[in-house]
Amino acid sequence: MKKLEVIGPKKLKGTIKISGSKNSSLPILAATLLSKNKVKISNLPEVKDIETMILLLRSLGSNIKFNTKTKSLEINNKKNLKTFASYNLVKTMRAGILVLGPLLARFNKAKVSLPGGCAIGARPVDIHLKALSKLGVTYKITQGYIYAKAPKGLNGNIIKFPKISVGATENLIIAACLAKGKTILKNCAIEPEINDLVNFLRKMGCNIRWTGKRTAMIMGVKNLKELNYKVMFDRIEAGTYMIASALTEGDIKITNIQPKIIKTEIDILKKVGAIIKTKKNELRILGIRKNKNIKLITSPYPGFPTDLQAQLMVLLCKANGRSEITEKIFENRFMHASELNRMGAKIKILGNRSIIEGNVDFKGAELMATDLRASVSLILAALTAKGKSIINRIYHLDRGYENIEKKLRKVGARIKRIS
Ligand code: EPZ
């Protein structure tokens, strides 16, 4: 079982280039199922979840070639595809549920495994299913599978999501692209990754317009086009390395980004005390000794992202005073707190609130990762801890961070993979 060994403390200095977004690549890859034409996608991050999505598409019959020269994928879904997404692929990568919408839109039927929960929560898909039934889909759930069909095809409708859901918004936008007539989706999630998906679909020939802050109007189309598309940068990876610099009193230049998309994260890190200078496609972030404590609530975009909550918690352990983070998106996303406490942190969990004492001096320890973002928060703590830390179960990490040791070693971290 692979582990990571990190020796701290170390001030990080240098440049980190941000990879393509995992959470933009996954819905875009699923959306290629809509089209019989060739699709080229570049800037995909080389992470486990993307590999799994490619395996899933190939299991449906997708013809996928990787062009090593241009580091881009060429996908061809012209032939009739299978409409069965198996448990063994969907269970390790919950975003597999995103093939449901496109398969129903194109083939009017699909058998897709329920994703099942994960460490951070039950992760239900009821909002996806109820919204799809508004487009004419009927479904039953037996033995862990969703058997869905649309005998009369998909027909446009007006749908208001009961709760903001990134995945449900993505599934419905994709499905509505081939539905007959007009679909209006209200109370949509508006994460940048959804905007990236909409840009991809428009370039493919779909007819999608934002008619309100969280309202999308989609007119079904019949013909789609070939296209070349470059996936946006990974804003959560960018935020993670920004926090690494703030935490270690470092001086890191983060390149290959669009600072305006991460304005909330930049503002919060400035409030905590980091010095940040932005340019068109990069920023420079310097950490200071005494960070300020803050109170924060995670919320859907443009609020502070739940996917950076664990990482920010580590920084607030170094603040000058008590902080508080309330997790409003997932019901069990504080599992990193107990591991951080084993390194000397003083974090108390009260339901969905965490109370974080400041002025902590982390000590290295043997640690266990539980989910993707919790794993990276343990690395952040280890970078600033005195001594050696060993982080176990790093397969969680490999799902969403491309070449993390290489990127961190390049800015001076003492980190290596050991068996
Ligand atoms: C996406 O997950 C991201 N994953 C998550 O990132 C991210 O944390 C999350 O959005 C919130 O921003 C991908 O994009 C692949 P939701 P998703 O539907 O779509 C509840 C990471 O670390 N809900 O917005 O699954 C749900 O339980 C991952 O990269 C229902 O109740 O998130 C949660 O409490 C982790 N019923 C809340 O809504 C549903 O049908 C938000 O979930 C769907 C969701």
Side-chain angles (χ1 to χ4, degrees):
M1 187 69 94
K2 291 269 180 222
K3 304 176 181 184
L4 273 180
E5 178 191 284
V6 181
I7 297 175
K10 190 76 177 56
K11 293 187 178 182
L12 302 181
K13 283 188 183 353
T15 300
I16 293 183
K17 185 171 178 246
I18 298 303
S19 304
S21 161
K22 163 180 87 81
N23 289 352
S24 180
S25 303
L26 291 170
I28 285 175
L29 285 166
T32 63
L33 292 167
L34 290 176
S35 174
K36 297 192 178 78
N37 302 309
K38 203 187 297 180
V39 177
K40 267 193 199 160
I41 304 171
S42 61
N43 199 35
L44 289 168
E46 288 178 53
V47 295
K48 196 87 187 83
D49 272 8
I50 301 302
E51 270 170 49
T52 309
M53 180 58 93
I54 289 167
L55 281 177
L56 175 52
L57 294 180
R58 282 187 168 137
S59 76
L60 297 172
S62 273
N63 179 340
I64 301 178
K65 288 200 284 298
F66 185 71
N67 180 326
T68 42
K69 243 192 345 305
T70 58
K71 281 196 74 177
S72 67
L73 269 191
E74 220 171 84
I75 300 185
N76 196 325
N77 289 323
K78 69 170 176 298
K79 68 182 187 37
N80 250 348
L81 301 172
K82 294 192 197 80
T83 57
F84 165 61
S86 71
Y87 171 68
N88 70 321
L89 286 167
V90 175
K91 75 173 183 308
T92 57
M93 197 264 311
R94 298 186 58 283
I97 190 68
L98 294 175
V99 303
L100 184 62
L103 288 176
L104 284 165
R106 186 161 156 206
F107 302 106
N108 298 339
K109 67 181 170 66
K111 175 184 171 187
V112 175
S113 168
L114 275 172
C118 69
I120 64 177
R123 314 293 295 274
V125 291
D126 54 314
I127 299 175
H128 300 237
L129 294 172
K130 285 203 190 84
L132 285 167
S133 55
K134 291 273 184 66
L135 297 184
V137 174
T138 56
Y139 64 88
K140 65 179 173 33
I141 294 175
T142 48
Q143 291 165 324
Y145 278 89
I146 303 162
Y147 291 77
K149 57 182 191 303
K152 300 196 190 76
L154 297 189
N155 291 289
N157 204 342
I158 297 175
I159 297 165
K160 184 171 178 7
F161 293 112
K163 177 175 179 178
I164 291 174
S165 160
V166 170
T169 302
E170 291 166 342
N171 237 335
L172 271 289
I173 287 178
I174 297 171
C177 285
L178 297 187
K180 286 185 227 45
K182 183 196 289 188
T183 297
I184 295 183
L185 300 175
K186 296 180 175 177
N187 201 28
C188 292
I190 52 173
E191 269 61 7
E193 293 76 25
I194 291 180
N195 219 29
D196 209 28
L197 170 66
V198 168
N199 293 338
F200 169 80
L201 289 166
R202 277 198 188 121
K203 210 173 167 187
M204 194 194 247
C206 298
N207 182 341
I208 308 169
R209 271 188 321 117
W210 291 103
T211 53
K213 183 172 182 252
R214 293 188 180 275
T215 303
M217 184 176 80
I218 301 113
M219 296 302 291
V221 293
K222 283 204 170 29
N223 305 311
L224 298 172
K225 300 182 279 193
E226 281 195 14
L227 79 154
N228 245 333
Y229 195 79
K230 181 180 180 211
V231 165
M232 70 175 278
F233 76 100
D234 193 311
R235 65 188 169 104
I236 304 301
E237 185 196 19
T240 301
Y241 290 126
M242 287 164 69
I243 291 172
S245 183
L247 184 68
T248 61
E249 295 175 55
D251 176 358
I252 295 189
K253 193 157 81 162
I254 306 268
T255 63
N256 227 25
I257 59 167
Q258 292 164 280
K260 66 178 185 327
I261 283 185
I262 49 175
K263 186 178 171 329
T264 301
E265 294 85 331
I266 290 170
D267 293 347
I268 291 288
L269 290 176
K270 279 182 176 171
K271 198 171 158 192
V272 173
I275 299 149
I276 302 177
K277 299 186 183 75
T278 58
K279 283 188 182 161
K280 191 163 172 297
N281 289 110
E282 62 181 53
L283 65 79
R284 186 175 167 198
I285 175 165
L286 294 99
I288 58 165
R289 173 172 295 286
K290 274 292 154 213
N291 293 298
K292 288 184 208 63
N293 54 325
I294 60 166
K295 270 192 168 187
L296 179 126
I297 297 176
T298 64
S299 59
Y301 194 83
F304 190 84
T306 173
D307 291 350
L308 278 177
Q309 177 257 105
Q311 300 91 312
L312 184 74
M313 187 180 278
V314 181
L315 179 59
L316 294 177
C317 290
K318 309 291 284 181
N320 205 6
R322 175 179 294 182
S323 297
E324 202 176 297
I325 299 183
T326 302
E327 171 56 59
K328 296 282 265 193
I329 307 290
F330 289 109
E331 64 269 29
N332 185 33
R333 202 169 198 177
F334 284 137
M335 289 194 298
H336 41 285
S338 47
E339 291 300 281
L340 295 173
N341 285 343
R342 294 181 56 248
M343 298 176 81
K346 298 184 195 69
I347 305 162
K348 231 199 298 0
I349 304 297
L350 306 166
N352 69 349
R353 277 173 60 220
S354 59
I355 315 294
I356 304 141
E357 298 305 334
N359 302 305
V360 165
D361 287 327
F362 285 113
K363 301 254 178 330
E366 174 119 26
L367 303 158
M368 185 155 82
T370 49
D371 63 270
L372 171 57
R373 308 302 175 182
S375 327
V376 85
S377 73
L378 301 182
I379 293 180
L380 295 179
L383 288 169
T384 182
K386 271 194 208 64
K388 184 192 288 188
S389 299
I390 302 285
I391 297 151
N392 295 286
R393 298 196 181 178
I394 54 169
Y395 56 85
H396 292 291
L397 201 63
D398 295 336
R399 293 188 44 188
Y401 284 93
E402 184 181 72
N403 297 331
I404 185 161
E405 301 108 273
K406 222 164 87 190
K407 292 189 180 189
L408 283 171
R409 261 203 302 273
K410 196 165 156 282
V411 292
R414 295 171 64 191
I415 180 171
K416 65 180 179 187
R417 203 164 280 237
I418 54 174
S419 330

